[in-house]
């Protein structure tokens, strides 16, 4: 499948699935966005299926579908804890959080895809890190309408020079970007992780060891920065909750 074919298949499947899901009202797949508007998460499963359909390789489709499934679990069953540290701490206490499912599920899918895409062990490992890391990166930037989609387009566009794999996530995003920017839907964890995995697969296919190592280093740095930011936000939220709790307590007058 060439670049144009991959783009068209991904766009067509994404749009068809999105239009079909829009006819179904399920509160589990709705969220209140940053502006207080109620929007659907249907762009997520639509783009995940579209990107998988246009992936062109079994390994790429596997990574996209597993990443999307893990993201969907978080969209439906997730909690408010942020950062790897919080989810790993819960795991040590015997609680398997949605964040842990994403961390290990997407990580395993990335390594499995990397094992199919590359021949040497070091390259397999680097490809796995790039696929899982890109999925995490796109999810990190999904904080405003259209931002994750635009990042996907920006990251994938250079890959068109190296092969057709980058066309699939671009086509999937293009099919729903107007609705995302118009605040009628959002990608959610489902779409962000799936599209990120698709872009990561394209990067893995189009790069040798040096390129993979450079991408992996940048993605690890982004993950560390995101973890620090998430930890800071969580601490601020806890402090704010403590202040609100104290303010709500009855004040006793001195006797």
């Amino acid at each position: 499948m060439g670049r144009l074919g991959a783009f068209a298949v991904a766009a067509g499947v994404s749009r068809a699935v999105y239009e079909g899901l829009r006819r179904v009202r399920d509160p589990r797949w709705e969220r209140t966005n940053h502006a207080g508007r109620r929007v659907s998460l249907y762009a997520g499963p639509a783009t995940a299926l579209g990107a998988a359909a246009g992936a062109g390789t079994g390994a790429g489709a596997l990574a996209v579908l597993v990443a999307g499934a893990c993201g969907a679990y978080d969209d439906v069953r997730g909690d408010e804890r942020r950062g790897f540290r919080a989810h790993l701490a819960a795991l040590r206490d015997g609680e398997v959080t949605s964040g842990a499912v994403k961390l290990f599920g997407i990580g395993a899918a990335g390594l499995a895809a990397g094992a199919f895409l590359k021949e040497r062990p070091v390259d397999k490992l680097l490809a796995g890190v790039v696929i899982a890391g890109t999925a995490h990166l796109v999810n990190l930037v999904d904080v405003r309408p259209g931002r994750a989609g635009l990042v996907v387009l920006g990251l994938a566009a250079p890959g068109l020079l190296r092969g057709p794999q980058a066309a699939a996530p671009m086509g999937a995003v293009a099919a729903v970007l107007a609705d995302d920017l118009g605040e009628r839907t959002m990608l959610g964890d489902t779409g962000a992780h799936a599209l990120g995995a698709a872009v990561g697969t394209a990067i893995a296919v189009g790069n040798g060891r040096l390129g993979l190592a450079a991408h992996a280093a940048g993605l690890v740095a982004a993950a560390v920065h995101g973890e620090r930011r998430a930890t800071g936000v969580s601490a601020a939220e806890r402090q704010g909750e403590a202040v609100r709790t104290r303010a709500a307590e009855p004040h006793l007058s001195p006797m």
Side-chain angles (χ1 to χ4, degrees):
M1 189 185 302
R3 296 172 179 82
L4 185 58
F7 185 97
V9 167
V13 171
S14 296
R15 193 66 202 182
V17 173
Y18 175 65
E19 291 296 340
L21 291 175
R22 288 178 64 185
R23 300 184 177 93
V24 181
R25 289 296 303 273
D26 188 338
R28 295 176 302 172
W29 289 90
E30 294 180 351
R31 291 292 184 276
T32 302
N33 71 1
H34 73 287
R37 297 174 181 171
R38 198 70 175 168
V39 301
S40 81
L41 294 173
Y42 293 144
T47 53
L49 292 173
T57 65
L62 170 69
V64 170
L65 291 175
V66 173
C70 292
Y73 181 79
D74 192 47
D75 280 334
V76 175
R77 301 288 298 275
D79 55 40
E80 297 302 319
R81 279 172 284 197
R82 293 184 175 91
F84 295 141
R85 190 177 304 175
H87 294 290
L88 291 175
L91 190 61
R92 285 196 298 269
D93 295 333
E95 180 186 1
V96 180
T97 64
S98 59
V101 170
K102 291 195 301 181
L103 175 62
F104 292 105
I106 297 173
L111 290 172
F116 281 106
L117 295 172
K118 297 297 181 181
E119 294 183 358
R120 298 188 177 184
V122 173
D123 298 333
K124 293 176 187 288
L125 176 61
L126 288 172
V129 172
V130 167
I131 293 169
T134 309
H136 178 61
L137 174 65
V138 174
N139 188 57
L140 277 179
V141 302
D142 188 25
V143 293
R144 287 291 185 273
R147 184 172 296 181
L150 293 173
V151 167
V152 166
L153 293 175
L155 290 174
L160 291 175
L161 299 175
R162 302 191 176 194
Q165 286 79 17
M170 295 181 72
V173 165
V176 300
L177 186 58
D179 292 82
D180 192 351
L181 289 169
E183 300 186 46
R184 293 181 290 276
T185 189
M186 61 173 64
L187 293 172
D189 281 41
T190 308
H193 283 300
L195 290 167
V199 175
T201 299
I203 293 172
V205 170
N207 281 272
R209 183 172 300 173
L210 183 60
L212 288 174
H215 279 93
L219 290 165
V220 169
V224 170
H225 175 74
E227 178 69 14
R228 290 175 178 170
R229 183 178 178 184
T231 303
V233 170
S234 297
E237 288 177 343
R238 289 194 297 271
Q239 183 178 7
E241 182 62 30
V243 170
R244 288 192 294 272
T245 300
R246 288 195 298 269
E249 293 176 348
H251 295 280
L252 300 179
S253 301
M255 296 180 65

